[in-house]
mmCIF file of all heavy atoms in Angstrom:
data_model
loop_
_atom_site.group_PDB
_atom_site.id
_atom_site.type_symbol
_atom_site.label_atom_id
_atom_site.label_comp_id
_atom_site.label_asym_id
_atom_site.label_seq_id
_atom_site.Cartn_x
_atom_site.Cartn_y
_atom_site.Cartn_z
ATOM 1 N N ALA A 74 -288.164 -9.545 -6.059
ATOM 2 C CA ALA A 74 -289.339 -9.445 -5.199
ATOM 3 C C ALA A 74 -290.601 -9.868 -5.937
ATOM 4 O O ALA A 74 -291.480 -10.509 -5.367
ATOM 5 C CB ALA A 74 -289.476 -8.017 -4.672
ATOM 6 N N ILE A 75 -290.697 -9.537 -7.208
ATOM 7 C CA ILE A 75 -291.861 -9.943 -8.017
ATOM 8 C C ILE A 75 -291.926 -11.463 -8.113
ATOM 9 O O ILE A 75 -292.989 -12.067 -7.987
ATOM 10 C CB ILE A 75 -291.803 -9.315 -9.425
ATOM 11 C CG1 ILE A 75 -292.078 -7.820 -9.353
ATOM 12 C CG2 ILE A 75 -292.807 -9.975 -10.362
ATOM 13 C CD1 ILE A 75 -291.801 -7.082 -10.657
ATOM 14 N N LEU A 76 -290.783 -12.089 -8.327
ATOM 15 C CA LEU A 76 -290.739 -13.546 -8.470
ATOM 16 C C LEU A 76 -291.186 -14.261 -7.203
ATOM 17 O O LEU A 76 -291.755 -15.346 -7.261
ATOM 18 C CB LEU A 76 -289.324 -13.999 -8.843
ATOM 19 C CG LEU A 76 -288.816 -13.581 -10.212
ATOM 20 C CD1 LEU A 76 -287.356 -13.980 -10.372
ATOM 21 C CD2 LEU A 76 -289.654 -14.200 -11.303
ATOM 22 N N ALA A 77 -290.916 -13.666 -6.052
ATOM 23 C CA ALA A 77 -291.247 -14.306 -4.783
ATOM 24 C C ALA A 77 -292.733 -14.239 -4.459
ATOM 25 O O ALA A 77 -293.223 -15.043 -3.669
ATOM 26 C CB ALA A 77 -290.440 -13.672 -3.652
ATOM 27 N N LEU A 78 -293.447 -13.297 -5.047
ATOM 28 C CA LEU A 78 -294.875 -13.156 -4.770
ATOM 29 C C LEU A 78 -295.695 -13.919 -5.798
ATOM 30 O O LEU A 78 -295.237 -14.190 -6.908
ATOM 31 C CB LEU A 78 -295.269 -11.677 -4.788
ATOM 32 C CG LEU A 78 -294.623 -10.800 -3.725
ATOM 33 C CD1 LEU A 78 -295.023 -9.353 -3.943
ATOM 34 C CD2 LEU A 78 -295.019 -11.250 -2.327
ATOM 35 N N SER A 79 -296.910 -14.244 -5.435
ATOM 36 C CA SER A 79 -297.813 -14.950 -6.352
ATOM 37 C C SER A 79 -298.691 -13.929 -7.066
ATOM 38 O O SER A 79 -299.821 -13.673 -6.673
ATOM 39 C CB SER A 79 -298.687 -15.934 -5.575
ATOM 40 O OG SER A 79 -297.893 -16.852 -4.886
ATOM 41 N N LEU A 80 -298.154 -13.348 -8.117
ATOM 42 C CA LEU A 80 -298.884 -12.349 -8.877
ATOM 43 C C LEU A 80 -299.319 -12.936 -10.218
ATOM 44 O O LEU A 80 -298.659 -13.811 -10.767
ATOM 45 C CB LEU A 80 -297.996 -11.117 -9.120
ATOM 46 C CG LEU A 80 -297.508 -10.373 -7.883
ATOM 47 C CD1 LEU A 80 -296.545 -9.262 -8.284
ATOM 48 C CD2 LEU A 80 -298.668 -9.797 -7.099
ATOM 49 N N THR A 81 -300.421 -12.434 -10.733
ATOM 50 C CA THR A 81 -300.907 -12.879 -12.039
ATOM 51 C C THR A 81 -300.058 -12.224 -13.135
ATOM 52 O O THR A 81 -299.383 -11.219 -12.877
ATOM 53 C CB THR A 81 -302.382 -12.482 -12.239
ATOM 54 O OG1 THR A 81 -302.478 -11.055 -12.289
ATOM 55 C CG2 THR A 81 -303.271 -13.039 -11.128
ATOM 56 N N PRO A 82 -300.109 -12.751 -14.354
ATOM 57 C CA PRO A 82 -299.361 -12.112 -15.455
ATOM 58 C C PRO A 82 -299.757 -10.648 -15.667
ATOM 59 O O PRO A 82 -298.904 -9.806 -15.950
ATOM 60 C CB PRO A 82 -299.715 -12.963 -16.670
ATOM 61 C CG PRO A 82 -300.009 -14.308 -16.103
ATOM 62 C CD PRO A 82 -300.672 -14.044 -14.771
ATOM 63 N N LYS A 83 -301.022 -10.337 -15.493
ATOM 64 C CA LYS A 83 -301.483 -8.953 -15.633
ATOM 65 C C LYS A 83 -300.829 -8.061 -14.573
ATOM 66 O O LYS A 83 -300.341 -6.967 -14.882
ATOM 67 C CB LYS A 83 -303.006 -8.896 -15.493
ATOM 68 C CG LYS A 83 -303.573 -7.497 -15.507
ATOM 69 C CD LYS A 83 -305.054 -7.504 -15.209
ATOM 70 C CE LYS A 83 -305.562 -6.096 -15.010
ATOM 71 N NZ LYS A 83 -306.921 -6.057 -14.509
ATOM 72 N N GLU A 84 -300.796 -8.537 -13.331
ATOM 73 C CA GLU A 84 -300.201 -7.757 -12.245
ATOM 74 C C GLU A 84 -298.696 -7.605 -12.429
ATOM 75 O O GLU A 84 -298.138 -6.541 -12.160
ATOM 76 C CB GLU A 84 -300.519 -8.414 -10.901
ATOM 77 C CG GLU A 84 -301.988 -8.384 -10.556
ATOM 78 C CD GLU A 84 -302.366 -9.294 -9.401
ATOM 79 O OE1 GLU A 84 -301.586 -10.198 -9.046
ATOM 80 O OE2 GLU A 84 -303.468 -9.101 -8.862
ATOM 81 N N ILE A 85 -298.043 -8.655 -12.917
ATOM 82 C CA ILE A 85 -296.603 -8.581 -13.173
ATOM 83 C C ILE A 85 -296.315 -7.549 -14.267
ATOM 84 O O ILE A 85 -295.363 -6.773 -14.162
ATOM 85 C CB ILE A 85 -296.050 -9.969 -13.558
ATOM 86 C CG1 ILE A 85 -296.109 -10.911 -12.353
ATOM 87 C CG2 ILE A 85 -294.620 -9.870 -14.080
ATOM 88 C CD1 ILE A 85 -295.794 -12.354 -12.664
#
Side-chain angles (χ1 to χ4, degrees):
I75 289 170
L76 293 174
L78 297 175
S79 302
L80 299 175
T81 66
K83 175 186 171 189
E84 294 167 343
I85 292 171

